[in-house]
Amino acid sequence: MGWLSKIFKGSSHRISEGQYHEKYGDDGVWNEPSNSLDTLSEYENDDIDRAIALSLSEEEQKKAKAVENASTLEEDEQLARALQESLNADSPPRENGHAYQPVPFLFSSGFRICAGCNTEIGHGRFLSCMDAYWHPECFRCHACNQPISDYEFSMSGNYPYHKSCYKELYHPKCDVCKQFIPTNMNGLIEYRAHPFWMQKYCPSHEMDGTPRCCSCERMEPRDIKYVTLDDGRKLCLECLDSAIMDTSECQPLYLDIQEFYEGLNMKIEQQVPLLLVERQALNEAMEGEKNGHHHLPETRGLCLSEEQTVSTILRRPRIGAGNKIMNMITEPYRLTRRCEVTAILILYGLPRLLTGSILAHEMMHAWLRLKGYRSLSQEVEEGICQVLAHMWLDSEIISGSGSNVASTSSSSSASTSSKKGSRSQFERKLGDFFKHQIESDTSPAYGDGFRAGNQAVLRYGLRPTLDHIKLTGTFPC
């Protein structure tokens, strides 16, 4: 027990085979005299009596001290056992890098109550964590209910967790690669999130070629295979479900939007051809157009005023191996100028609601030209066209089954019933996303123009706003 004296100063008791050795006199030995008391002188008898009395007094003191030392010895042995158990214990847990040490001091029974089992903590190991005391086996993870014996642990609210359990529950996973989003050099979790869909993904996916859906703009998860259109665009399977792929398939939607304009008392009298085209044909037609404003950064719709020959999609292509579009059949369409508008072109392969909003936008361009609205600024013309696209989307979302004006065309209702009747929750969400795109556009023409035009329409109404634009070329304040 010599090592105890190095830890606890002042303890100098020695133990040898469990016996306590008493010492008498200066030399540690008291020799009993061999002579008889009868032969001693009176003086010697007096000396002997005093010696005996002194010896008996010392013996009583020694016995009392021995009892005291034995009690102290027992306490030291218990203290030594408690300390040894603490030294043999595993490293204590810590939160956020700060260790919670088990207290290696001995307390009497009932001095500490375990916060886990609410029983007394007697002699032995215990943990001091979270402003409470615990049996080691009672300090458990709130997720898996197993004891926390690791050197570190995590907290959420007032509950402790294994670091692995906490990570599984609270550390965000990438929606693209399905792995935990890594921390940056400062130890912070850094990720990107889509402002509408709230899709979380690793920042590295913005530079590693991970594709996005050309419609909903969500990144492609690694376990999902998108459809690849012939021009390289990616289309997710949910957007593909309502995608319009050829000119004939788009005609019922065109009739719906014409009726939407009629309901606003803005009927277009002239018959304007509608053609669904590939990206290359749309870009070529845009280059041949002398006037007009176009969608940026990518053109998805165009209102033509010039005579051209345009390649239009004749029949819906099929999806072949590797989810790629195959058997695209097109035919040339010669546009002749009979009025201020020769045709409306829409990019193929987009969902019905996106196709419809683009078509409503381009039809407003056609209406303005046919009604004599000349030399409008880009902000005013594109702004009011976006207002009409937004209004159409709003009517579709509110009605849930088509435009705000019920279709009276038997061919229209028959052709679109499958599309409208099977409107999925995702498609309704998609409509909200396309409205969000219009509302949050940051460009001066399409974004600022829409917000100025929409504010004017909400304050004064659509028709007074259009009359003010025709007279002044600006939105009413």
Side-chain angles (χ1 to χ4, degrees), residues 139-158:
F139 190 63
R140 294 176 176 266
C141 174
H142 188 64
C144 68
N145 200 36
Q146 295 301 310
I148 298 176
S149 58
D150 302 329
Y151 188 55
E152 296 182 349
F153 68 99
S154 298
M155 290 285 296
S156 178
N158 294 322

Side-chain angles (χ1 to χ4, degrees), residues 293 365 368 373-385 444-445 449 469 472-475:
H293 312 299
H365 279 300
L368 291 171
Y373 287 72
R374 302 291 183 181
S375 303
L376 296 179
S377 68
Q378 187 177 18
E379 182 175 343
V380 171
E381 184 168 348
E382 297 297 347
I384 196 63
C385 289
I469 291 174
T472 65
T474 63
F475 292 121

